[in-house]
Amino acid sequence: MELKVRFMPQDKAVKVRPGTTVLRAARDARVHIATRCGGNAGCLMCKVEVEAEHRGALASPTTAEQRKLGPLLDQGIRLACQAVIRGSAEVRLPEDPLKAAIRKQLERQQEDDLW
Ligand code: FES
């Protein structure tokens, strides 16, 4: 059985077998998720967001995820290296903080230019 996982905002999808981690699926889809700990729930760099309607497509959080993410789990945040796929799902990668800061600055400049 193959499952489909879609990564947003890249809008790239890949077919995977149940039991695949989100990180492995992202690599198969050629979607970059930064990591520093080798997928051991140590760096927290691989956080992804899962909308409520897709949360059931991932296995329950591991003990490591529960310990590391705590209340963020209730907001749909998961660790890509730990979250195991068990159904077709859509996963959203958060915007890179540096890119977000640049985008906000550009938006402010555009607003200033309008005045
Ligand atoms: S890769 Fe480091 S926490 Fe997931």
Side-chain angles (χ1 to χ4, degrees):
M1 178 173 74
E2 284 193 328
L3 307 168
K4 189 174 178 182
V5 181
R6 180 172 300 280
F7 292 91
M8 300 301 283
Q10 293 83 357
D11 197 20
K12 289 186 176 179
V14 65
K15 289 182 180 173
V16 298
R17 292 178 183 272
T20 303
T21 64
V22 172
L23 183 60
R24 176 76 252 168
R27 288 181 176 159
D28 289 349
R30 299 187 186 281
V31 171
H32 177 70
I33 296 179
T35 66
R36 196 174 287 163
C37 71
N40 294 312
C43 68
L44 305 184
M45 293 180 69
C46 67
K47 285 185 230 155
V48 295
E49 300 172 26
V50 183
E51 295 293 330
E53 66 264 29
H54 294 284
R55 290 180 194 165
L58 299 181
S60 298
T62 62
T63 304
E65 267 190 294
Q66 291 174 17
R67 198 173 55 245
K68 295 285 184 175
L69 294 176
L72 290 176
L73 285 167
D74 295 335
Q75 299 169 30
I77 305 296
R78 299 290 303 265
L79 293 179
C81 67
Q82 301 295 303
V84 170
I85 298 162
R86 65 178 190 188
S88 292
E90 187 174 294
V91 174
R92 178 167 293 276
L93 275 63
E95 188 174 20
D96 177 76
L98 178 60
K99 287 182 182 173
I102 293 170
R103 181 181 49 73
K104 286 178 185 169
Q105 181 66 31
L106 288 172
E107 286 172 359
R108 270 189 237 117
Q109 284 178 348
Q110 286 175 344
E111 285 176 20
D112 291 346
D113 289 347
L114 292 175
W115 293 99

